Amino acid sequence: KRLLLALATLVLLAGTALAAVIAFDSPARPPVLKAGNAIPGIAEWNFATLPERRSVKARDDAPLHYRLYPGQSDRVIVLVHGSTGTGVEMHKLAQALQAAGASVYAISLRGHGGSGTTNGDVSYLGQLDDDLVDLTQALGLDKLGIRRTLAGFSSGGGFVLRIAGGRLAGLFDDYLAISPYIAADSPTGSRDAGGWAGVALPRITALSLLHAIGLPWFQGLPAVAFATAAKADESRTPVYSFRLMASLQLGRNWRSVLAHISAPTRIVIGAQDELFKA
């Protein structure tokens, strides 16, 4: 009886501690980075050439927004933006790829740029994967005879690698990850992503434990705040929920995900990247 009572007490204490961490821990926004408020040189961009925003519907009828830079119908590139951004930040890259002949779709992931239903959140962990399937089908990119590339920057680059090494790898023929976020403990990782992200590590750990035992509770709570003074709107997403953060990332088994990549894939990073170790 004493042993059972002791075990029950330990379980109660552990549960209470877990609940307290989930309830009261929250991500602290780090000091604002200059590049966190605006892309360097963006003031000189010619936004008169920005294509109109278009939309398709996901399986839950939520809108998924994109901008099309038309080119060859049999050569398609889908561009994924970085953390806090939208498809608009891929404008210059999209123009360059269009000039090389490709049809480019600069998408705004759910939780960003008005896609989905809630800024900084998804409905369940892994929903971004399902959205990508819905987007490619709605746009007819799953047809034979089209060479498809998925390319992404920063967090979007990490998402590209997640797809390339996961169950949906067959959606695209090849992959390009530009300065991708792989994992905090990867060789390219740095503390708090070089000052870009403030992470609620105790809350993330607690929610990860719950998820591991099949309890997707409280995953809509904030988990990461970024080093920007921007407010949450259709232009920026300064805070991510746990399930949005996890939906973008390769996860704890990132080495296995990378090892499973079989399609032609290139990872590119600048030698003097400010956030990651080249």
Side-chain angles (χ1 to χ4, degrees):
K1 289 182 179 179
R2 289 176 181 176
L3 180 59
L4 289 175
L5 182 60
L7 287 173
T9 302
L10 284 174
V11 170
L12 179 60
L13 289 174
T16 301
L18 196 69
V21 164
I22 292 171
F24 297 111
D25 186 42
S26 61
R29 186 171 297 189
V32 173
L33 294 179
K34 184 178 180 180
N37 282 333
I39 299 171
I42 196 171
E44 284 73 49
W45 288 15
N46 180 12
F47 282 105
T49 60
L50 184 71
E52 65 176 347
R53 190 176 76 174
R54 307 184 186 191
S55 301
V56 297
K57 284 190 175 181
R59 62 192 66 185
D60 63 345
D61 288 331
L64 301 175
H65 299 313
Y66 69 94
R67 297 177 191 273
L68 172 61
Y69 299 75
Q72 296 172 199
S73 60
D74 61 348
R75 184 67 182 97
V76 168
I77 300 175
V78 175
L79 281 182
V80 187
H81 57 83
S83 52
T84 81
T86 71
V88 174
E89 73 178 35
M90 308 304 284
H91 179 52
K92 297 292 283 185
L93 179 54
Q95 285 184 312
L97 294 170
Q98 180 189 36
S103 290
V104 183
Y105 294 83
I107 67 175
S108 291
L109 295 169
R110 182 182 292 261
H112 306 74
S115 288
T117 57
T118 307
N119 187 281
D121 194 16
V122 294
S123 299
Y124 55 88
L125 201 160
Q127 191 171 28
L128 297 183
D129 298 15
D130 293 341
D131 285 347
L132 192 61
V133 173
D134 296 343
L135 183 83
T136 56
Q137 291 178 349
L139 295 176
L141 305 184
D142 55 341
K143 296 177 181 177
L144 293 175
I146 299 177
R147 181 183 168 191
R148 298 166 290 265
T149 298
L150 183 64
F153 167 70
S154 191
S155 287
F159 180 66
V160 164
L161 297 177
R162 172 190 172 97
I163 298 299
R167 61 184 178 86
L168 300 178
L171 278 180
F172 294 86
D173 300 294
D174 43 55
Y175 295 87
L176 171 63
I178 307 167
S179 297
Y181 176 78
I182 295 174
D185 61 337
S186 74
T188 57
S190 57
R191 183 176 177 82
D192 298 327
W196 173 233
V199 180
L201 186 58
R203 173 179 282 175
I204 290 171
T205 301
L207 293 176
S208 297
L209 288 172
L210 288 179
H211 185 77
I213 60 174
L215 299 175
W217 298 346
F218 313 115
Q219 294 186 356
L221 291 172
V224 184
F226 296 98
T228 174
K231 296 181 179 179
D233 57 26
E234 290 204 358
S235 298
R236 297 300 293 275
T237 303
V239 178
Y240 283 5
S241 70
F242 172 85
R243 56 195 175 201
L244 174 57
M245 175 204 73
S247 293
L248 279 165
Q249 297 179 357
L250 283 71
R252 293 176 59 190
N253 297 321
W254 60 268
R255 293 175 181 83
S256 176
V257 175
L258 294 181
H260 278 88
I261 295 176
S262 59
T265 300
R266 181 163 293 179
I267 298 175
V268 182
I269 182 168
Q272 299 181 37
D273 190 284
E274 294 178 300
L275 303 184
F276 303 119
K277 298 173 184 177

